[in-house]
Amino acid sequence: MLMVSTRVALIYRGASERLIHKTLINKIMMARRIHSRRLDGVEKNIWVEFTQLAADYKVVNLGQGFPDFLPPKFIQDAFCKAVSGGCPMHQYTRAFGHPSLVAILAKFFSRIVGHEIHPMEDVLVTVGAYQALFCTFQALVDEGDEVIIIEPSFDCYQPMVKMAGGKAVFVPLRPSGGSSKALSSGDWVLSAEELASKFSPKTKAVVINTPNNPTGKVYKAEELQMIADLCVEHDVVCISDEVYEWLTYDGREHVKIASLPGMWERTITIGSAGKTFSATGWKVGWAIGSKDIMKHLKTVHQNSVYHCATAAQEAVAEGFQVEYDRFGSPESYFKELPKRLQIKRDKLALCLESVGLQPIKPEGGYFMIADISAVKFDFNDTSSQDEPHDFRFVKWLIKEKGLATIPVSAFYSLEHSKDFENYVRFCFTKEDSTLDAAEEILKKWGKEK
Ligand code: PMP
Ligand code: GLN
């Protein structure tokens, strides 16, 4: 018989050996690669970086794209009504979209696309346009597939393609006649030959964004027809990000590529209530397309997010109903907002010009890019010395002058970003007081130069 003290000692030894063993395993685990290869190269995010920087320096913020004014009263009221609308508004609703929202989205967009959209089959409500994009890439892209992206492009397309196992193939919009002559976003053009050369047997989809973030380019019907013809010829899907669809200026019309002959069957159109009703924090978006494609997006959605906030969907449904009833009239928010934003755009353009930043006037959206190649700035920040020129300019403007913008090369692939380091993006969906404060900063800087 072992003495009690020896038994206790052995138990302790056993426990401490187990502990050493566990620690060793932990060490081995820690030494192993933790993260999936899908995440390699997509860790950095300009919104995370520059939104934090703008907050840290408490600047005038023309960087991240969101309105600093309230959404219209009718949509705020709709939200208040929804949240006080009883128990069902606080509980789960239909996975693929609250019935009232898919019904009105289908009715609203059938009229524009010229195709009878089925509310239950052809529409998916998502957590903002971001999740619509995510579902689309996850649903369509297989290992090794290629996705053609026209750049500059919203920065999440490429990481999403990569995370789905695909490869992004880029084709740039180019300033026609050289950057000094391209003074409107309409002067940024896509070469049909260059686009055609990017198709291969591996091409699964083409992504377009009209009105474009960041340039504000609104694709003309002929340009869309050229893209559509290539999609049909190569039998690929078109992913059309149209979150700024109501924001066009100077009489320019937004055309939906899904409305072109033969395109309904192969287009996924993505929209956002955040942009539509100036309520980016609500995070309600949608994807619309033929049921044969949409069923796959729904598979991704039901196994990830499942469904979106019920009350927010109810409010957006009511907002669309109001807009449906007054569509095309001057009271429509979809007419009134761009009218207001056009004035803000012109005010900002004049101010940028006056300090030697050459604006590229946008035909749509709520961003304006400006050429910074003529300006000199003295920035002693060694932490950013290896960064692209526009990144350094933006950091200097935030830290030294108190104004936030976004570097445009972030909207380009590595392949082309070097050619576009001389632009920064300003957001003008802001209160006049915010634009005035930005103007004051820029003018003061102009005088110091
Ligand atoms: N697409 C584009 C072109 C955008 O600019 C944005 C950012 N708002 C989104 C998609 C994402 O929209 P949401 O905020 O509705 O997720
Ligand atoms: N879409 C917005 C922009 O372009 C912001 C997106 C974000 O903050 N993630 O500014």
Side-chain angles (χ1 to χ4, degrees):
M1 275 267 289
L2 282 168
M3 298 266 299
V4 173
S5 59
T6 318
R7 270 196 3 240
V8 169
L10 280 177
I11 288 166
Y12 270 97
R13 221 182 87 199
S16 71
E17 271 170 6
R18 276 198 302 277
L19 193 70
I20 291 168
H21 185 64
K22 235 173 140 183
T23 315
L24 263 174
I25 287 179
N26 273 349
K27 278 218 170 106
I28 293 164
M29 292 282 288
M30 299 298 276
R32 278 183 62 185
R33 181 191 171 91
I34 303 274
H35 68 286
S36 70
R37 283 177 213 291
R38 287 188 297 281
L39 305 189
D40 283 345
V42 304
E43 301 89 343
K44 280 196 113 187
N45 180 288
I46 42 163
W47 313 112
V48 173
E49 181 178 1
F50 285 96
T51 303
Q52 188 58 51
L53 203 58
D56 290 347
Y57 282 81
K58 298 187 176 57
V59 294
V60 175
N61 194 353
L62 301 191
Q64 192 185 27
F66 65 92
D68 65 354
F69 47 81
L70 282 169
K73 174 116 180 22
F74 70 93
I75 195 96
Q76 291 182 54
D77 290 348
F79 208 144
C80 293
K81 193 171 131 207
V83 285
S84 50
C87 182
M89 284 298 119
H90 299 275
Q91 306 306 330
Y92 290 134
T93 181
R94 180 175 166 270
F96 307 125
H98 191 50
S100 61
L101 181 53
V102 290
I104 188 66
L105 286 173
K107 191 160 114 181
F108 201 101
F109 287 110
S110 291
R111 189 160 64 173
I112 298 171
V113 177
H115 175 95
E116 194 61 34
I117 297 170
H118 193 290
M120 298 294 163
E121 291 181 330
D122 303 339
V123 183
L124 172 65
V125 175
T126 54
V127 183
Y130 260 108
Q131 197 226 337
L133 289 161
F134 188 77
C135 287
T136 303
F137 293 120
Q138 284 293 321
L140 303 187
V141 177
D142 246 331
E143 286 293 321
D145 283 348
E146 292 180 356
V147 175
I148 298 175
I149 297 176
I150 303 166
E151 50 181 2
S153 65
F154 189 46
D155 64 306
C156 71
Y157 301 158
Q158 186 272 339
M160 285 192 190
V161 170
K162 180 169 192 300
M163 287 190 287
K167 179 174 169 238
V169 174
F170 294 97
V171 54
L173 293 173
R174 295 190 190 276
S176 64
S179 45
S180 59
K181 294 210 181 92
L183 300 182
S184 151
S185 61
D187 299 328
W188 287 55
V189 290
L190 180 62
S191 149
E193 294 72 39
E194 199 172 0
L195 177 60
S197 75
K198 302 291 174 183
F199 283 80
S200 83
K202 291 184 186 160
T203 308
K204 194 68 178 281
V206 177
V207 187
I208 63 168
N209 171 215
T210 179
N212 173 257
N213 178 5
T215 61
K217 179 182 175 66
V218 177
Y219 284 71
K220 297 184 190 73
E222 314 84 85
E223 292 174 301
L224 294 173
Q225 189 61 62
M226 177 271 281
I227 298 167
D229 289 345
L230 285 166
C231 288
V232 172
E233 184 187 332
H234 295 274
D235 192 20
V236 308
V237 172
C238 178
I239 302 164
S240 187
D241 180 340
E242 302 181 13
V243 298
Y244 303 102
E245 61 191 313
W246 305 111
L247 303 178
T248 58
Y249 311 117
D250 307 317
R252 172 96 36 234
E253 288 271 318
H254 169 71
V255 178
K256 286 187 170 295
I257 197 165
S259 68
L260 301 183
M263 286 307 284
W264 163 256
E265 295 74 15
R266 59 176 69 251
T267 303
I268 297 166
T269 306
I270 289 169
S272 164
K275 315 293 165 181
T276 300
F277 293 115
S278 305
T280 58
W282 291 17
K283 291 303 284 185
V284 175
W286 53 86
I288 297 178
S290 85
K291 67 174 194 298
D292 296 331
I293 302 182
M294 293 308 298
K295 67 182 179 197
H296 303 297
L297 275 69
K298 289 178 180 177
T299 305
V300 178
H301 182 79
Q302 76 197 5
N303 291 308
S304 49
V305 167
Y306 187 68
H307 92 89
C308 312
T310 307
Q313 292 192 65
E314 174 74 6
V316 172
E318 180 145 349
F320 265 104
Q321 187 59 57
V322 171
E323 287 298 311
Y324 185 86
D325 294 339
R326 62 187 184 191
F327 190 64
S329 74
E331 304 83 62
S332 161
Y333 189 63
F334 300 166
K335 279 237 180 272
E336 187 260 317
L337 180 63
K339 228 164 132 186
R340 246 190 307 146
L341 290 189
Q342 184 167 323
I343 297 168
K344 292 177 191 289
R345 175 198 68 165
D346 293 344
K347 180 180 162 70
L348 180 63
L350 278 178
C351 165
L352 295 178
E353 257 164 8
S354 75
V355 295
L357 296 172
Q358 181 58 62
I360 314 301
K361 244 189 180 180
E363 305 157 287
Y366 51 47
F367 305 110
M368 175 151 31
I369 65 170
D371 189 337
I372 56 168
S373 48
V375 298
K376 301 244 174 316
F377 61 101
D378 194 13
F379 194 32
N380 304 319
D381 178 12
T382 46
S383 67
S384 63
Q385 69 189 10
D386 297 329
E387 293 185 4
H389 182 67
D390 53 345
F391 275 70
R392 281 179 61 73
F393 177 79
V394 168
K395 287 187 177 173
W396 171 79
L397 202 58
I398 291 175
K399 293 181 181 179
E400 307 284 332
K401 301 292 163 200
L403 177 61
T405 64
I406 296 289
V408 167
S409 67
F411 296 80
Y412 280 93
S413 59
L414 274 181
E415 200 181 321
H416 299 120
S417 67
K418 198 85 199 112
D419 300 338
F420 296 95
E421 280 180 19
N422 273 330
Y423 294 96
V424 296
R425 190 197 79 174
F426 293 82
C427 174
F428 56 86
T429 190
K430 300 290 175 190
E431 288 282 11
D432 285 342
S433 56
T434 310
L435 294 174
D436 289 343
E439 182 166 0
E440 208 169 296
I441 291 172
L442 289 168
K443 292 242 157 97
K444 190 161 165 251
W445 166 47
K447 280 192 197 128
E448 288 163 10
K449 281 198 287 173

Coordinates of all heavy atoms in Angstrom, one line a residue, residues 282-340:
W282 N -29.0 51.4 -41.5 CA -30.0 50.4 -41.4 C -29.6 49.1 -42.0 O -30.1 48.0 -41.6 CB -31.2 50.9 -42.2 CG -32.0 52.0 -41.6 CD1 -31.5 52.9 -40.6 CD2 -33.3 52.4 -41.9 NE1 -32.5 53.8 -40.3 CE2 -33.6 53.6 -41.1 CE3 -34.3 52.0 -42.8 CZ2 -34.8 54.3 -41.2 CZ3 -35.5 52.7 -42.9 CH2 -35.7 53.8 -42.0
K283 N -28.6 49.1 -42.9 CA -28.1 47.9 -43.5 C -29.2 47.0 -44.1 O -29.3 45.8 -43.8 CB -27.2 47.1 -42.5 CG -25.9 47.8 -42.2 CD -25.0 48.1 -43.3 CE -24.3 46.9 -43.9 NZ -23.3 47.3 -44.9
V284 N -30.0 47.6 -45.0 CA -30.9 46.8 -45.7 C -30.5 46.9 -47.2 O -30.3 48.0 -47.7 CB -32.4 47.2 -45.5 CG1 -33.3 46.4 -46.5 CG2 -32.8 47.1 -44.1
G285 N -30.3 45.8 -47.8 CA -30.0 45.7 -49.2 C -30.7 44.6 -49.9 O -31.5 43.9 -49.3
W286 N -30.5 44.4 -51.2 CA -31.2 43.4 -51.9 C -30.4 43.0 -53.2 O -29.5 43.7 -53.7 CB -32.6 43.8 -52.3 CG -32.6 45.1 -53.1 CD1 -32.5 45.3 -54.4 CD2 -32.8 46.4 -52.5 NE1 -32.6 46.6 -54.8 CE2 -32.8 47.3 -53.6 CE3 -33.0 46.9 -51.2 CZ2 -32.9 48.7 -53.4 CZ3 -33.1 48.3 -51.1 CH2 -33.1 49.1 -52.1
A287 N -30.7 41.8 -53.6 CA -30.2 41.3 -54.9 C -31.5 40.8 -55.7 O -32.4 40.2 -55.1 CB -29.3 40.1 -54.7
I288 N -31.5 41.2 -57.0 CA -32.7 40.8 -57.8 C -32.1 40.1 -59.1 O -31.2 40.6 -59.7 CB -33.5 42.1 -58.2 CG1 -34.1 42.7 -56.9 CG2 -34.6 41.7 -59.1 CD1 -34.9 44.0 -57.1
G289 N -32.8 39.0 -59.4 CA -32.3 38.3 -60.6 C -33.3 37.2 -60.9 O -34.3 37.0 -60.1
S290 N -33.0 36.4 -61.9 CA -33.9 35.3 -62.3 C -33.8 34.2 -61.2 O -32.7 34.0 -60.6 CB -33.6 34.8 -63.7 OG -32.6 33.8 -63.6
K291 N -34.9 33.5 -61.0 CA -35.0 32.5 -59.9 C -33.9 31.5 -60.0 O -33.4 31.0 -59.0 CB -36.4 31.9 -59.8 CG -36.8 31.0 -61.0 CD -38.2 30.4 -60.6 CE -38.6 29.3 -61.5 NZ -38.8 29.5 -62.9
D292 N -33.5 31.1 -61.3 CA -32.5 30.1 -61.4 C -31.1 30.5 -60.8 O -30.4 29.6 -60.4 CB -32.3 29.7 -62.9 CG -33.6 29.2 -63.5 OD1 -34.4 28.6 -62.7 OD2 -33.9 29.4 -64.7
I293 N -30.9 31.8 -60.8 CA -29.6 32.2 -60.2 C -29.9 32.5 -58.7 O -29.1 32.1 -57.8 CB -29.1 33.5 -60.9 CG1 -28.8 33.3 -62.4 CG2 -27.8 34.0 -60.2 CD1 -28.2 34.5 -63.1
M294 N -31.0 33.2 -58.4 CA -31.3 33.6 -57.1 C -31.4 32.5 -56.1 O -31.0 32.6 -54.9 CB -32.6 34.4 -57.0 CG -32.5 35.8 -57.8 SD -31.1 36.8 -57.3 CE -31.5 37.1 -55.6
K295 N -31.8 31.3 -56.5 CA -31.9 30.2 -55.6 C -30.6 29.8 -55.0 O -30.5 29.4 -53.8 CB -32.6 29.0 -56.2 CG -31.8 28.3 -57.3 CD -32.6 27.1 -57.9 CE -31.7 26.5 -59.0 NZ -32.5 25.6 -59.9
H296 N -29.5 30.1 -55.7 CA -28.2 29.8 -55.2 C -27.7 30.8 -54.2 O -27.1 30.5 -53.2 CB -27.1 29.6 -56.3 CG -27.6 28.6 -57.3 ND1 -27.7 27.3 -57.0 CD2 -27.9 28.7 -58.6 CE1 -28.1 26.6 -58.0 NE2 -28.2 27.4 -59.0
L297 N -28.1 32.1 -54.4 CA -27.7 33.1 -53.4 C -28.5 32.9 -52.1 O -28.0 33.1 -51.0 CB -28.1 34.5 -54.0 CG -27.1 35.3 -54.9 CD1 -27.0 34.6 -56.2 CD2 -27.5 36.7 -55.0
K298 N -29.7 32.4 -52.3 CA -30.6 32.1 -51.1 C -29.9 31.0 -50.3 O -30.0 31.0 -49.1 CB -32.0 31.7 -51.6 CG -32.8 32.9 -52.1 CD -34.1 32.4 -52.6 CE -34.9 33.6 -53.1 NZ -36.2 33.2 -53.7
T299 N -29.3 30.0 -51.0 CA -28.7 28.9 -50.2 C -27.6 29.5 -49.3 O -27.4 29.1 -48.2 CB -28.1 27.9 -51.2 OG1 -29.1 27.5 -52.1 CG2 -27.4 26.7 -50.5
V300 N -26.8 30.4 -49.9 CA -25.7 31.0 -49.0 C -26.4 31.8 -47.9 O -26.0 31.7 -46.7 CB -24.8 32.0 -49.9 CG1 -23.8 32.6 -49.0 CG2 -24.2 31.3 -51.1
H301 N -27.4 32.6 -48.2 CA -28.0 33.4 -47.2 C -28.6 32.6 -46.1 O -28.4 32.9 -44.9 CB -29.1 34.3 -47.9 CG -29.8 35.2 -47.1 ND1 -29.3 36.4 -46.7 CD2 -31.0 35.2 -46.5 CE1 -30.2 37.1 -45.9 NE2 -31.2 36.3 -45.8
Q302 N -29.3 31.6 -46.4 CA -30.0 30.8 -45.4 C -29.1 30.1 -44.4 O -29.4 29.8 -43.3 CB -31.0 29.8 -46.0 CG -30.3 28.5 -46.6 CD -31.2 27.8 -47.5 OE1 -32.3 28.2 -47.8 NE2 -30.8 26.6 -48.0
N303 N -27.8 29.9 -44.9 CA -26.9 29.2 -44.1 C -25.8 30.1 -43.5 O -24.8 29.6 -42.9 CB -26.1 28.1 -45.0 CG -27.1 27.0 -45.3 OD1 -27.7 26.4 -44.5 ND2 -27.2 26.7 -46.6
S304 N -26.1 31.4 -43.6 CA -25.2 32.3 -43.0 C -25.9 33.3 -42.1 O -26.0 33.2 -40.9 CB -24.3 33.0 -44.0 OG -25.1 33.5 -45.1
V305 N -26.6 34.3 -42.8 CA -27.3 35.3 -42.0 C -28.7 34.9 -41.7 O -29.3 35.3 -40.7 CB -27.3 36.6 -42.9 CG1 -28.2 37.6 -42.4 CG2 -25.9 37.2 -43.0
Y306 N -29.3 34.1 -42.5 CA -30.7 33.6 -42.5 C -31.7 34.7 -42.8 O -32.5 34.5 -43.7 CB -31.0 32.9 -41.1 CG -32.4 32.3 -41.2 CD1 -32.6 31.2 -42.0 CD2 -33.5 32.8 -40.5 CE1 -33.9 30.6 -42.1 CE2 -34.8 32.3 -40.6 CZ -35.0 31.2 -41.4 OH -36.2 30.6 -41.5
H307 N -31.8 35.8 -42.0 CA -32.7 36.9 -42.5 C -32.3 38.2 -41.8 O -31.4 38.2 -40.9 CB -34.1 36.5 -42.3 CG -34.7 37.0 -40.9 ND1 -35.2 38.3 -40.8 CD2 -34.8 36.4 -39.7 CE1 -35.6 38.4 -39.5 NE2 -35.3 37.3 -38.9
C308 N -32.8 39.3 -42.3 CA -32.4 40.6 -41.8 C -33.5 41.2 -40.9 O -34.6 40.8 -40.9 CB -32.2 41.5 -43.0 SG -31.2 40.7 -44.3
A309 N -33.1 42.3 -40.2 CA -33.9 42.9 -39.2 C -35.3 43.2 -39.7 O -35.5 43.9 -40.7 CB -33.3 44.2 -38.7
T310 N -36.3 42.6 -39.1 CA -37.7 42.7 -39.6 C -38.2 44.1 -39.6 O -38.8 44.6 -40.7 CB -38.6 41.9 -38.6 OG1 -38.1 40.6 -38.5 CG2 -40.0 41.8 -39.2
A311 N -38.1 44.9 -38.6 CA -38.7 46.3 -38.5 C -38.0 47.1 -39.6 O -38.7 47.9 -40.3 CB -38.5 46.9 -37.1
A312 N -36.7 47.0 -39.8 CA -36.0 47.8 -40.8 C -36.6 47.5 -42.2 O -36.8 48.3 -43.0 CB -34.5 47.6 -40.8
Q313 N -36.8 46.2 -42.4 CA -37.4 45.8 -43.7 C -38.8 46.3 -43.9 O -39.2 46.8 -45.0 CB -37.5 44.2 -43.8 CG -36.1 43.6 -43.9 CD -36.3 42.1 -44.2 OE1 -36.7 41.8 -45.3 NE2 -35.9 41.2 -43.3
E314 N -39.6 46.3 -42.8 CA -41.0 46.8 -42.9 C -40.9 48.3 -43.3 O -41.7 48.8 -44.1 CB -41.7 46.6 -41.6 CG -43.0 47.2 -41.4 CD -44.1 46.5 -42.2 OE1 -43.9 45.4 -42.8 OE2 -45.3 47.0 -42.2
A315 N -40.0 49.1 -42.6 CA -39.9 50.5 -42.9 C -39.5 50.8 -44.3 O -40.0 51.7 -45.0 CB -38.9 51.1 -41.9
V316 N -38.5 50.0 -44.8 CA -38.0 50.2 -46.2 C -39.2 49.9 -47.2 O -39.4 50.6 -48.2 CB -36.8 49.3 -46.5 CG1 -36.4 49.4 -48.0 CG2 -35.6 49.8 -45.6
A317 N -40.0 48.9 -46.8 CA -41.1 48.5 -47.7 C -42.1 49.7 -47.8 O -42.5 50.1 -48.8 CB -41.8 47.3 -47.1
E318 N -42.3 50.3 -46.6 CA -43.3 51.4 -46.6 C -42.7 52.6 -47.4 O -43.4 53.3 -48.2 CB -43.6 51.9 -45.2 CG -44.5 53.0 -45.1 CD -45.5 53.0 -44.0 OE1 -45.6 52.0 -43.3 OE2 -46.2 54.1 -43.8
G319 N -41.4 52.8 -47.2 CA -40.7 53.9 -48.0 C -40.8 53.7 -49.5 O -41.1 54.6 -50.2
F320 N -40.6 52.5 -49.9 CA -40.8 52.2 -51.4 C -42.2 52.4 -51.8 O -42.5 52.8 -53.0 CB -40.3 50.8 -51.7 CG -38.8 50.8 -52.2 CD1 -37.8 50.4 -51.4 CD2 -38.5 51.2 -53.5 CE1 -36.5 50.4 -51.8 CE2 -37.2 51.3 -53.9 CZ -36.2 50.9 -53.1
Q321 N -43.2 52.0 -51.0 CA -44.6 52.2 -51.3 C -44.9 53.7 -51.6 O -45.5 54.1 -52.6 CB -45.5 51.6 -50.3 CG -47.0 51.6 -50.7 CD -47.3 50.8 -51.9 OE1 -46.9 49.6 -52.0 NE2 -47.8 51.5 -53.0
V322 N -44.4 54.5 -50.6 CA -44.6 56.0 -50.8 C -44.0 56.4 -52.1 O -44.6 57.2 -52.9 CB -43.9 56.7 -49.6 CG1 -43.9 58.2 -49.8 CG2 -44.6 56.4 -48.3
E323 N -42.8 56.0 -52.4 CA -42.1 56.4 -53.6 C -42.7 55.8 -54.9 O -42.8 56.5 -55.9 CB -40.6 56.0 -53.6 CG -39.8 56.8 -52.7 CD -39.7 58.3 -53.0 OE1 -39.5 58.6 -54.2 OE2 -40.0 59.1 -52.2
Y324 N -43.3 54.6 -54.8 CA -44.0 54.0 -55.9 C -45.2 54.9 -56.3 O -45.4 55.2 -57.5 CB -44.5 52.6 -55.5 CG -45.2 51.9 -56.7 CD1 -44.4 51.2 -57.6 CD2 -46.5 51.9 -56.9 CE1 -44.9 50.5 -58.6 CE2 -47.1 51.3 -57.9 CZ -46.3 50.5 -58.8 OH -46.9 49.9 -59.9
D325 N -45.9 55.4 -55.3 CA -47.1 56.2 -55.5 C -46.8 57.5 -56.1 O -47.7 58.1 -56.8 CB -47.9 56.3 -54.2 CG -48.5 55.0 -53.7 OD1 -48.6 54.1 -54.6 OD2 -48.8 54.9 -52.5
R326 N -45.6 58.1 -55.9 CA -45.3 59.4 -56.4 C -44.1 59.4 -57.4 O -43.4 60.3 -57.6 CB -45.0 60.4 -55.3 CG -43.8 60.0 -54.4 CD -43.7 61.0 -53.3 NE -42.5 60.7 -52.5 CZ -42.3 61.2 -51.3 NH1 -43.2 62.0 -50.7 NH2 -41.2 60.9 -50.6
F327 N -43.9 58.2 -58.0 CA -42.7 58.0 -58.9 C -42.7 59.0 -60.0 O -43.7 59.2 -60.7 CB -42.7 56.6 -59.4 CG -41.5 56.2 -60.1 CD1 -40.3 56.1 -59.4 CD2 -41.4 55.9 -61.5 CE1 -39.1 55.8 -60.1 CE2 -40.2 55.6 -62.1 CZ -39.1 55.6 -61.4
G328 N -41.6 59.6 -60.2 CA -41.5 60.6 -61.4 C -42.0 62.0 -61.0 O -41.7 62.9 -61.8
S329 N -42.6 62.1 -59.9 CA -43.1 63.5 -59.6 C -42.0 64.3 -58.8 O -41.1 63.6 -58.2 CB -44.4 63.4 -58.7 OG -44.0 63.0 -57.4
P330 N -42.1 65.6 -58.8 CA -41.0 66.4 -58.2 C -40.9 66.1 -56.7 O -39.9 66.3 -56.1 CB -41.4 67.9 -58.4 CG -42.5 67.8 -59.4 CD -43.1 66.5 -59.5
E331 N -42.0 65.7 -56.0 CA -42.0 65.4 -54.6 C -41.2 64.1 -54.3 O -40.8 63.9 -53.1 CB -43.4 65.2 -54.0 CG -44.4 66.3 -54.2 CD -45.0 66.2 -55.5 OE1 -45.7 65.2 -55.8 OE2 -44.8 67.1 -56.4
S332 N -41.0 63.3 -55.3 CA -40.3 62.0 -55.0 C -38.9 62.3 -54.4 O -38.2 63.1 -54.9 CB -40.2 61.2 -56.3 OG -39.2 60.3 -56.2
Y333 N -38.6 61.5 -53.4 CA -37.2 61.7 -52.8 C -36.2 61.3 -53.8 O -35.1 61.9 -53.8 CB -37.1 60.8 -51.5 CG -35.9 61.0 -50.7 CD1 -35.6 62.2 -50.1 CD2 -34.9 60.0 -50.5 CE1 -34.5 62.4 -49.3 CE2 -33.8 60.2 -49.8 CZ -33.6 61.4 -49.2 OH -32.4 61.6 -48.4
F334 N -36.5 60.4 -54.7 CA -35.5 60.0 -55.7 C -35.3 61.1 -56.7 O -34.3 61.0 -57.5 CB -36.0 58.7 -56.4 CG -36.3 57.5 -55.5 CD1 -37.0 56.4 -56.0 CD2 -35.8 57.5 -54.2 CE1 -37.2 55.3 -55.1 CE2 -36.0 56.4 -53.4 CZ -36.7 55.3 -53.8
K335 N -36.1 62.1 -56.8 CA -35.9 63.3 -57.6 C -35.3 64.4 -56.8 O -34.4 65.1 -57.3 CB -37.2 63.7 -58.2 CG -37.7 63.0 -59.4 CD -37.9 64.0 -60.6 CE -38.3 63.3 -61.8 NZ -37.4 62.7 -62.7
E336 N -35.8 64.5 -55.6 CA -35.4 65.7 -54.8 C -34.0 65.6 -54.3 O -33.2 66.5 -54.3 CB -36.4 65.7 -53.6 CG -36.3 66.9 -52.7 CD -35.6 66.6 -51.4 OE1 -35.8 65.5 -50.8 OE2 -34.8 67.4 -51.0
L337 N -33.6 64.4 -53.8 CA -32.2 64.2 -53.3 C -31.1 64.5 -54.3 O -30.2 65.3 -54.0 CB -32.0 62.8 -52.7 CG -30.7 62.5 -52.1 CD1 -30.4 63.4 -50.9 CD2 -30.5 61.0 -51.7
P338 N -31.2 64.0 -55.5 CA -30.1 64.3 -56.5 C -30.1 65.8 -56.8 O -29.0 66.4 -57.1 CB -30.4 63.5 -57.7 CG -31.8 62.9 -57.5 CD -32.1 62.9 -56.1
K339 N -31.3 66.4 -56.8 CA -31.3 67.9 -57.1 C -30.5 68.6 -56.0 O -29.7 69.5 -56.3 CB -32.8 68.4 -57.0 CG -33.2 69.2 -58.2 CD -34.7 69.3 -58.2 CE -35.1 70.7 -58.4 NZ -36.6 70.8 -58.3
R340 N -30.7 68.2 -54.7 CA -30.0 68.8 -53.7 C -28.5 68.5 -53.7 O -27.6 69.4 -53.5 CB -30.5 68.3 -52.3 CG -31.2 69.3 -51.5 CD -31.5 68.9 -50.1 NE -32.2 67.6 -50.0 CZ -32.1 66.8 -49.0 NH1 -31.2 67.0 -48.1 NH2 -32.8 65.7 -48.9

